[in-house]
Amino acid sequence: MTRSSAPGTAFLLGEHAVVYGEPALLFAVGRRATVDVDTKETVGDDLPDSAYVREAVGRAREYTGEDTPLSVEVESEIPIGAGLGSSAAVSAATVHAASRELGAQMEREKVAEEAHAVELDVQGAASPADTYTTTMGGYTVVSDEKKRSLEVPDEREGFVVGWDGGSAPTGEMVDGVSRLVEENPVAADIVGSIGDLTRRGVERAEAGDTDAVGGLMDMNQGLLDALGVSSSSLSRMVWAARDAGGSAKLTGAGGAGCVVAYPANEEVLGAVEQVAEEAFVVGVSEGVRTE
Ligand code: MEV
């Protein structure tokens, strides 16, 4: 049996714009999806009803050239469809575990590539941001052109995540932005501005200037709101964090789901808790690994 786990992911800056070739700044969240893959003695697979798992197993088979029947079990601490990269984590952990169970030590870069291909197949449109980050762990900067890990000198206490208890389909949110960009050139300018503030944020994060990154997160939230991907419950959590002296924005596709807030002190956590279904502090985590 092979057990692999992969972390959730959060966008500090740049979701949606990353779909248009702009860079995004993310980190791997200290909540994980764990996947057990076992070789079966009997004929036929035993897989959960998840398109991501099925596609990931198919890709591991193609890579290894082995088609031994497999059973797969998934357990996840990551809320589903809520902006914390749950499907990317499941895809990466399944590719990682299944390829190993089938006898190949697939390299990290390849796991990231295959997990991205899984998301593309299942969702139709997906940037490599979540899949690269869940595979590599830590902080990352991802665009279509270039992907790299980022050293951030001051991690302090991590981040507050607030969840409104809801979820929204990523594909529909991405399509909504795409319609807006087609109809209105101002929306295309907003996408470009998100790219500009992300480039600045990457520079500031590398310099350890986390306060400046916080200010840019606030600005990014304003632009995401302008693109129509925030909601009243996301805004409530954002404003609770801000009123407590923090910076905050939604993470991921939006519509419903999670916000990420900073700094992770008692005031910000307490304020977000008041209006969220669930709020917790997360550290920055390691990427996909064998358990
Ligand atoms: C979804 O987690 C983030 C989006 O930018 C879509 C993507 O990057 O594929 C909205």
Side-chain angles (χ1 to χ4, degrees):
M1 198 265 280
T2 309
R3 171 173 290 177
S4 298
S5 77
T9 53
F11 283 79
L12 287 180
L13 299 167
E15 55 272 89
H16 284 288
V18 71
V19 175
Y20 297 83
E22 301 290 354
L25 171 59
L26 298 92
F27 69 96
V29 169
R31 281 197 170 201
R32 306 182 76 85
T34 304
V35 176
D36 289 345
V37 179
D38 212 352
T39 303
K40 278 187 68 192
E41 301 302 327
T42 49
V43 182
D45 289 328
D46 188 2
L47 307 181
D49 186 19
S50 155
Y52 295 98
V53 170
R54 284 164 193 268
E55 191 61 36
V57 167
R59 296 215 150 248
R61 284 217 167 97
E62 211 166 289
Y63 180 80
T64 57
E66 291 289 335
D67 59 3
T68 319
L70 296 173
S71 70
V72 177
E73 277 179 34
V74 178
E75 260 180 47
S76 181
E77 305 165 339
I78 310 162
I80 293 169
L84 291 183
S86 57
S87 58
V90 167
S91 302
T94 307
V95 168
H96 191 266
S99 55
R100 276 159 177 71
E101 183 67 16
L102 293 171
Q105 291 297 310
M106 193 188 278
E107 299 280 335
R108 249 171 218 275
E109 304 282 344
K110 187 69 184 162
V111 172
E113 200 183 300
E114 294 289 348
H116 182 216
V118 169
E119 282 212 326
L120 281 176
D121 278 341
V122 177
Q123 285 168 210
S127 81
D130 286 315
T131 39
Y132 183 80
T133 308
T134 188
T135 307
M136 298 301 165
Y139 290 93
T140 62
V141 187
V142 183
S143 71
D144 269 343
E145 300 266 285
K146 221 171 145 195
K147 307 164 188 66
R148 66 180 174 101
S149 293
L150 189 79
E151 287 299 321
V152 176
D154 183 0
E155 286 177 11
R156 300 199 201 174
E157 324 81 353
F159 297 88
V160 171
V161 171
W163 181 30
D164 64 8
S167 64
T170 301
E172 282 179 26
M173 301 309 296
V174 170
D175 288 350
V177 173
S178 151
R179 276 194 299 277
L180 202 62
V181 166
E182 273 165 31
E183 281 162 17
N184 188 341
V186 176
D189 289 346
I190 291 172
V191 166
S193 296
I194 292 177
D196 289 342
L197 70 80
T198 301
R199 276 181 282 275
R200 186 172 168 76
V202 169
E203 196 191 291
R204 293 291 81 216
E206 273 179 316
D209 187 355
T210 38
D211 288 344
V213 176
L216 291 162
M217 285 167 66
D218 289 331
M219 210 178 264
N220 195 165
Q221 171 65 20
L223 297 179
L224 287 165
D225 212 342
L227 290 178
V229 297
S230 195
S231 71
S232 53
S233 57
L234 291 170
S235 294
R236 259 195 300 281
M237 295 187 286
V238 162
W239 278 104
R242 285 185 186 164
D243 288 344
S247 291
K249 60 177 277 297
L250 67 85
T251 171
C258 292
V259 299
V260 57
Y262 178 87
N265 59 26
E266 273 176 28
E267 289 78 16
V268 172
L269 177 64
V272 176
E273 255 168 2
Q274 295 279 316
V275 293
E277 182 72 23
E278 202 188 317
F280 46 90
V281 173
V282 290
V284 180
S285 172
E286 236 187 278
V288 71
R289 65 180 184 222
T290 305
E291 293 293 339

